[in-house]
Amino acid sequence: MSADERVPLLEVEHLTTRFATDRGQLTAVDDVSLTLDRGEMLGIVGESGSGKSVLARTLMNIAGANSSVTPQTRIRFEGRDLRNLSKEETKHFWGKEIAMIFQNPMTSLNPVRQISRQLTEPMRYHLGLSKREAQDRAVELLRLVGISSPGHRMSQYPHQLSGGMRQRVMIAIALSCEPKLLVADEPTTALDVTVQKQILDLLAKLQDDLGMAMILITHDLGVVAGRAHRIAVMYAGQVMEESTTKHLFEATSHPYTESLLKAIPRLSQPSHTRLAASSGALPDLVNVIDQCRFVGRCPLVEDICTATMPKMASHRPGHSVRCYLPLTPATVPSGTNEDVAEPEKLNQSDRSH
Amino acid sequence: MQSLVRRLVQTVVVVLIVSLLTVSMIRFMDQEPAYAILGEHATPDQVARFNAEAGLDRPLLVQWGTWLQGWLQGDLGQSLRTREPVSSILMERLPITLELAVLALLVGLLFAIPLGIYSAYNAGGRLDRIVNGASSIAVAVPGFVLALVLVYFISYQADLLPVSGWVSFNDDPVGHVKSLVLPVITLGAIEGAVATRVLRSDMYATLREDYILAAKAQGIPIHTILWRHALRPSSLSLLTISGVSLGRLIGGTVIVETIFSLPGLGQALVQGVYASDIVVVQGLTLFMVLCVVLINFAVDALYPVVDPRVSVKSH
Amino acid sequence: MVTLLKVEDLDVKAPRRVALPKMPKIAVWLAAFWLATLLFVAVFASWLPIAPFDQPNFDAARQGPSFSLHEPLGRDGLGQSILSRLIYGAQISLAVGFLSVAFGLVFGVTLGIVAGYFGGWIDTVIGVFTDTLLSIPPLVLLLALAVTLSPSLGNLVISLGLLGLPTFLRIARANTLSIAKREYVAASAILGAKRSRILLREILPNVITPPLAYSIEIVGVFIVAEASLSFLGLGIPPPRPSWGGMIAEGMSDMGRSVHIVAGPVVVLFLTVLALKIVGDRFRERLDVRERVL
């Protein structure tokens, strides 16, 4: 990224989201900082429980009634402080400037409302379009997302569409008010493999065509590998590693990221290859211990790791990691996987497909 | 389509059985209606003549057949006591009961829908606790307890509304409305309480669905979400309950009509019972059964309208 | 090897728990206390130091309630002791309530199990019978039976029992259908157990619980139904007092002697409310145990 005078599209600083639970305050997202420029795609990768969905929902202001962010949290969109929007601004911000699509297309559309109603509603509310105008535009949008005979689809109900089509409709709704940022929370996890690629390609194309920024959230590193500009890896509510895609694969620094890489099945591996699986459970997010959150599963734990929690540190330009002992080519651990990555192999092209 | 036909056949069978049972009621009676109406000292001759006139001496199946035939022609028999055709009793009194039942249901829903919606939205909060408590009590309160409490405080103590008596709309519109206020509140409060609880329950589940979260992410204002997005998917149980309520109301206005002296079907039925006027009882009973059956049918037909996922078959 | 997640797997929703605010514990204790007291005075009425229920005293007619021990609830239009009449009326209400629920439960559950287990035409016939009963509005059914049968305790119990029967039947039938499919019943059959043994040992214990859970609340419903009938004059005939009858009598005097109608109204309300509260808690308890099974 060249030095740019423009204000970044999205600046997140020290975002911490907590939930009030029976056992106490649960810190689902801890001290996350991100930046996103116009037209950029940021991939957020993590397993379930990593806080990635909560992060997305916090950004969208739908984290839930029993959630709260800390005072240190700063979220700025085009320079505007999202925590201090006026009432008027709030009404037409989410859904218009930032839009979101969800994981499960089977349940994310209202089953008793026609597609046309669901598609035109945000446009009529945010952009003030008339019914006619909104409907025309809705048909256009359906065509844009690759749905055939869009006019016919308008009067149908969600249960009459397949999973892939429903996800396309969701994308159309999200794009309807021309948002500057699209947050996609595991948009393909619930779809068949063949449809997954179609949807991901569609999203990438739309992003290019519309100059839209995107945050793509997934548990599968393979999904963001060829598509995102930058990737942030989350674990137990924290960002563990954050860098450009190329560096993440070529100079993997965090042991957790390394384990994610090992878990990607590859056609080049023999078909009976066992996948590396991490052992150990997630740390307690209510009674937080001041140590690295990954100690339960890290193969390289040393005393310093359990002493205090490591902070995010940039050990290379554009590449930060939260670890006292970031991996270098010489320290990549050998796991249970037969196909161990030799240090030299880290630079081979098959890693950054 | 096939199951619709099956439902229809089932319904017809049920109606026929009910008609047969009501016709055979007379066989189980301890005291023949003749004695009840003519008096205990009636002579056997008088009794025989009475029975012949009323067709009570013919075999059961013949009675049944004649009766059914009469029904198809609109002849529901004649009151044993007053010789008045049951059909005219029906015509005269049905509007009153119907007005009462429908108004009660509407008033009940008028309160139930917003209360159900907002207490689900506010789940666990103050409104929810208050509504839950009030509806729990309302559901447990017997109809005539509520009626009497209302009458005491509003009519006797505050003198705001008449204690009882019915005024026709044509005679005095205001008086008509006044005479209906307390009965409608009594009936509506209970049905409304049931509807509120049912709606709150479904609403609570619906608000946790993904598509509601998606609508919030699209920036749709919360009140639009509650009324336009969440209400319809939560309405199936409400529809069922409304149907049950209406059926229950039509057959259940008896007590309220008695307390408030409203000349409706319920009162006519009770008077028929007092006089052992079996024909009136039979006719009104079968009529009410028909109403219930028709209402159930209508409710089933409306399910797919409320929720397009439901086909007529699947219910 | 990665297993592909099926879309249906992800569709599994969390159970639709309603998360209603809970009934305060004190309410349940008070309700139970009221019911116990009522039961006690009803059973031991003849031994209590109260006036007989049918002793008119025209000099003291409509005497209001006093806070002394002598006629604390006042007297009715005929000068009879309201307290006594309430207590003796309780005998009727409680007897009718419990007996008719028992009737409905026994016959309903039996027929439900039979319908569910044997299926076929037996199920159809029983189904038609149930539908017929259900298509008649409750009070109408009671009135029709009232014109047919003479007003005795037995006939009242049968009438109300018939009213509640379909509900118990349906619950029992639905549970029988789901349990009969389960493996341990099939295993029992394979091992050669006789049908009756299967019914008694495997099915009955599991099927009886849900209807039983509702039974306490239903007692309240039936007490109201009985009161409605007596209110209309179609319940147990005088001189035996009944709450409904007392309400009917006291209604005309509401303007000047409200205590005559207030007594039975309040007692009826409290009893039904208490049964509902206790019934709710009872049902919750049974539900929990069922899930453990």
Side-chain angles (χ1 to χ4, degrees):
Chain A
M1 304 286 132
S2 53
D4 211 299
E5 249 82 72
R6 278 184 321 179
V7 172
L9 183 67
L10 179 69
E11 287 173 288
V12 176
E13 285 165 33
H14 307 299
L15 190 151
T16 305
T17 308
R18 297 211 169 103
F19 287 98
T21 69
D22 296 333
R23 290 194 303 133
Q25 289 283 328
L26 186 144
T27 307
V29 178
D30 190 5
D31 195 35
V32 167
S33 299
L34 303 163
T35 316
L36 193 63
D37 278 324
R38 279 171 192 72
E40 242 194 338
M41 186 193 297
L42 170 67
I44 299 185
V45 182
E47 55 192 57
S48 33
S50 60
K52 54 194 199 300
S53 281
V54 176
L55 174 61
R57 291 179 190 195
T58 308
L59 290 176
M60 292 298 294
N61 202 29
I62 53 172
N66 57 342
S67 73
S68 58
V69 290
T70 55
Q72 295 86 9
T73 302
R74 288 262 173 285
I75 309 177
R76 269 193 292 268
F77 188 82
E78 289 188 319
R80 278 188 288 176
D81 184 355
L82 290 193
R83 300 189 59 202
N84 279 322
L85 290 177
S86 72
K87 219 162 166 216
E88 267 311 302
E89 288 178 304
T90 316
K91 271 166 71 171
H92 294 290
F93 184 78
W94 285 283
K96 182 163 175 276
E97 305 286 326
I98 312 183
M100 183 165 174
I101 59 178
F102 292 82
Q103 176 175 330
N104 193 340
M106 309 305 266
T107 56
S108 300
L109 289 173
N110 193 320
V112 305
R113 299 180 98 213
Q114 282 181 332
I115 300 294
S116 62
R117 289 283 300 270
Q118 302 194 50
L119 204 38
T120 55
E121 189 174 24
M123 284 191 276
R124 296 185 66 190
Y125 176 68
H126 289 302
L127 306 176
L129 297 185
S130 74
K131 190 164 163 188
R132 183 80 259 172
E133 289 170 335
Q135 279 178 339
D136 289 339
R137 191 159 148 67
V139 173
E140 277 308 307
L141 284 164
L142 287 178
R143 223 188 302 269
L144 186 66
V145 297
I147 289 185
S148 56
S149 46
H152 176 54
R153 298 290 176 202
M154 288 280 276
S155 53
Q156 286 189 317
Y157 287 89
H159 65 274
Q160 296 170 288
L161 303 177
S162 71
M165 277 201 279
R166 285 193 226 188
Q167 195 60 299
R168 290 176 197 262
V169 169
M170 282 245 72
I171 295 173
I173 297 177
L175 298 178
S176 62
C177 298
E178 294 177 337
K180 303 196 173 74
L181 168 62
L182 177 67
V183 177
D185 188 358
E186 307 232 39
T188 56
T189 308
L191 301 171
D192 288 337
V193 169
T194 42
V195 180
Q196 276 184 23
K197 184 169 185 310
Q198 290 172 11
I199 297 291
L200 289 171
D201 288 341
L202 173 66
L203 284 173
K205 176 174 175 302
L206 289 169
Q207 203 205 352
D208 272 339
D209 292 348
L210 303 172
M212 194 175 60
M214 197 161 116
I215 297 180
L216 182 55
I217 299 173
T218 176
H219 62 274
D220 183 353
L221 204 43
V223 159
V224 288
R227 300 185 168 95
H229 296 99
R230 302 184 62 82
I231 298 181
V233 175
M234 283 186 72
Y235 181 79
Q238 292 176 327
V239 174
M240 291 299 178
E241 184 168 358
E242 197 247 327
S243 78
T244 60
T245 308
K246 192 153 135 64
H247 284 162
L248 196 86
F249 284 94
E250 292 178 357
T252 316
S253 304
H254 198 283
Y256 179 60
T257 316
E258 180 66 29
S259 73
L260 284 179
L261 283 172
K262 292 223 188 84
I264 301 175
R266 230 153 295 152
L267 287 174
S268 56
Q269 288 171 330
S271 57
H272 58 275
T273 309
R274 275 177 18 238
L275 286 176
S278 304
S279 54
L282 278 178
D284 186 352
L285 295 177
V286 177
N287 305 308
V288 176
I289 309 174
D290 187 18
Q291 62 179 24
C292 173
R293 295 237 173 116
F294 194 55
V295 294
R297 287 156 60 165
C298 184
L300 305 172
V301 173
E302 304 216 353
D303 286 340
I304 188 174
C305 305
T306 53
T308 58
M309 186 174 302
K311 294 205 192 338
M312 277 294 271
S314 174
H315 63 304
R316 207 177 269 128
H319 188 158
S320 316
V321 69
R322 191 190 288 266
C323 184
Y324 291 118
L325 316 160
L327 302 171
T328 61
T331 62
V332 168
S334 52
T336 53
N337 194 329
E338 269 92 73
D339 187 16
V340 169
E342 297 295 299
E344 299 84 83
K345 282 191 184 155
L346 275 171
N347 288 320
Q348 278 183 7
S349 53
D350 76 331
R351 274 304 192 94
S352 43
H353 40 260
Chain B
M1 197 59 223
Q2 201 185 25
S3 94
L4 201 64
V5 169
R6 195 157 56 94
R7 285 284 321 264
L8 195 61
V9 167
Q10 268 180 335
T11 312
V12 169
V13 167
V14 165
V15 169
L16 285 176
I17 294 182
V18 172
S19 62
L20 181 58
L21 286 175
T22 52
V23 162
S24 50
M25 268 191 323
I26 191 168
R27 311 279 149 155
F28 296 96
M29 286 174 75
D30 285 337
Q31 186 192 45
E32 282 190 48
Y35 285 105
I37 292 174
L38 296 174
E40 285 188 355
H41 304 290
T43 66
D45 269 347
Q46 287 174 313
V47 169
R49 209 161 15 125
F50 180 88
N51 283 342
E53 269 176 12
L56 295 174
D57 53 353
R58 289 186 250 145
L60 181 62
L61 287 176
V62 173
Q63 266 188 39
W64 186 38
T66 330
W67 197 48
L68 281 179
Q69 206 186 16
W71 262 81
L72 290 171
Q73 295 168 340
D75 172 20
L76 278 53
Q78 288 180 327
S79 158
L80 290 176
R81 186 171 57 102
T82 63
R83 296 273 170 240
E84 195 187 344
V86 173
S87 47
S88 68
I89 297 179
L90 207 61
M91 287 292 112
E92 203 184 290
R93 292 172 171 251
L94 178 62
I96 299 168
T97 300
L98 209 56
E99 191 184 3
L100 196 54
V102 170
L103 278 180
L105 184 62
L106 287 178
V107 166
L109 286 177
L110 194 67
F111 281 92
I113 293 181
L115 284 179
I117 292 180
Y118 286 105
S119 56
Y121 178 55
N122 182 242
R126 209 144 157 250
L127 177 68
D128 192 21
R129 282 198 301 265
I130 295 176
V131 168
N132 187 48
S135 63
S136 289
I137 296 184
V139 162
V141 166
F144 58 115
V145 165
L146 181 59
L148 290 172
V149 166
L150 284 175
V151 166
Y152 180 66
F153 285 108
I154 297 184
S155 303
Y156 282 104
Q157 297 293 72
D159 205 16
L160 285 171
L161 292 165
V163 167
S164 64
W166 181 78
V167 178
S168 142
F169 185 78
N170 300 323
D171 292 342
D172 173 13
V174 176
H176 175 79
V177 170
K178 273 187 168 182
S179 66
L180 283 180
V181 169
L182 288 182
V184 166
I185 292 180
T186 305
L187 291 170
I190 296 173
E191 303 302 331
V194 173
T196 306
R197 297 176 76 82
V198 160
L199 181 60
R200 185 224 178 265
S201 167
D202 275 3
M203 230 2 209
Y204 182 82
T206 301
L207 287 176
R208 266 136 202 82
E209 296 274 0
D210 288 341
Y211 55 85
I212 297 294
L213 193 64
K216 286 188 192 163
Q218 289 157 16
I220 312 288
I222 188 66
H223 296 289
T224 309
I225 294 184
L226 287 176
W227 289 87
R228 295 230 204 108
H229 292 236
L231 182 55
R232 247 178 91 192
S234 322
S235 303
L236 277 181
S237 298
L238 192 63
L239 184 60
T240 312
I241 284 291
S242 299
V244 171
S245 283
L246 194 56
R248 205 173 33 202
L249 281 171
I250 290 186
T253 52
V254 176
I255 301 290
V256 167
E257 283 178 21
T258 307
I259 294 180
F260 292 100
S261 307
L262 303 171
L265 284 181
Q267 261 220 337
L269 184 60
V270 169
Q271 281 164 12
V273 172
Y274 287 154
S276 292
D277 194 338
I278 200 92
V279 176
V280 166
V281 172
Q282 282 171 4
L284 292 181
T285 302
L286 192 60
F287 178 77
M288 295 205 206
V289 167
L290 274 177
C291 286
V292 168
V293 155
L294 277 171
I295 291 173
N296 285 342
F297 230 70
V299 164
D300 275 350
L302 281 176
Y303 277 130
V305 170
V306 168
D307 186 342
R309 290 174 296 178
V310 177
S311 61
V312 181
K313 258 198 308 162
S314 63
H315 181 67
Chain C
M1 270 198 333
V2 178
T3 41
L4 288 171
L5 275 174
K6 289 204 295 291
V7 177
E8 295 86 88
D9 291 342
L10 291 162
D11 234 337
V12 171
K13 278 202 278 260
R16 280 175 153 221
R17 265 176 300 115
V18 176
L20 267 180
K22 279 232 126 124
M23 181 81 58
K25 263 219 162 101
I26 180 94
V28 181
W29 282 112
L30 283 174
F33 178 70
W34 169 260
L35 290 175
T37 312
L38 198 66
L39 204 57
F40 179 80
V41 299
V43 167
F44 293 107
S46 342
W47 291 279
L48 291 175
I50 53 176
F53 56 78
D54 55 355
Q55 194 178 60
N57 183 344
F58 293 102
D59 296 326
R62 296 196 196 81
Q63 183 186 58
S66 59
F67 289 103
S68 66
L69 278 171
H70 186 65
E71 293 316 336
L73 294 179
R75 296 169 188 271
D76 69 4
L78 294 176
Q80 294 168 116
S81 160
I82 291 184
L83 180 63
S84 311
R85 290 176 67 84
L86 281 177
I87 291 178
Y88 282 97
Q91 287 182 339
I92 306 243
S93 294
L94 291 174
V96 171
F98 282 105
L99 285 174
S100 23
V101 167
F103 180 94
L105 201 56
V106 164
F107 286 99
V109 169
T110 310
L111 285 175
I113 294 181
V114 165
Y117 188 71
F118 291 105
W121 64 268
I122 298 182
D123 190 15
T124 316
V125 165
I126 294 184
V128 169
F129 167 66
T130 319
D131 281 347
T132 312
L133 273 179
L134 282 174
S135 66
I136 310 177
L139 214 46
V140 172
L141 177 64
L142 290 178
L143 288 173
L145 287 170
V147 83
T148 318
L149 306 166
S150 58
S152 70
L153 183 66
N155 288 338
L156 259 184
V157 167
I158 294 177
S159 306
L160 289 172
L162 279 177
L163 205 55
L165 197 150
T167 314
F168 291 127
L169 197 154
R170 281 202 169 165
I171 300 178
R173 177 181 174 276
N175 284 328
T176 305
L177 283 175
S178 75
I179 288 179
K181 288 199 198 122
R182 292 197 198 159
E183 287 94 30
Y184 57 87
V185 175
S188 196
I190 291 173
L191 288 174
K194 266 174 48 203
R195 257 192 183 157
S196 56
R197 197 187 152 84
I198 296 180
L199 282 172
L200 269 169
R201 287 297 211 81
E202 313 282 353
I203 296 186
L204 183 63
N206 292 305
V207 165
I208 191 87
T209 320
L212 205 58
Y214 278 99
S215 54
I216 296 193
E217 283 174 60
I218 306 277
V219 171
V221 172
F222 284 176
I223 290 185
V224 172
E226 185 277 321
S228 309
L229 280 178
S230 337
F231 175 79
L232 294 170
L234 299 168
I236 307 278
R240 281 236 125 209
S242 64
W243 293 346
M246 289 171 74
I247 293 178
E249 285 161 16
M251 220 172 56
S252 41
D253 279 321
M254 247 169 77
R256 45 182 177 142
S257 316
V258 71
H259 67 279
I260 302 179
V261 81
V265 164
V266 169
V267 166
L268 180 63
F269 171 63
L270 287 178
T271 307
V272 173
L273 189 62
L275 282 166
K276 175 120 205 308
I277 293 177
V278 170
D280 263 355
R281 184 47 64 93
F282 187 59
R283 196 156 37 97
E284 273 170 39
R285 283 294 177 76
L286 282 183
D287 264 348
V288 172
R289 254 192 279 141
E290 231 189 51
R291 259 186 260 137
V292 172
L293 279 175

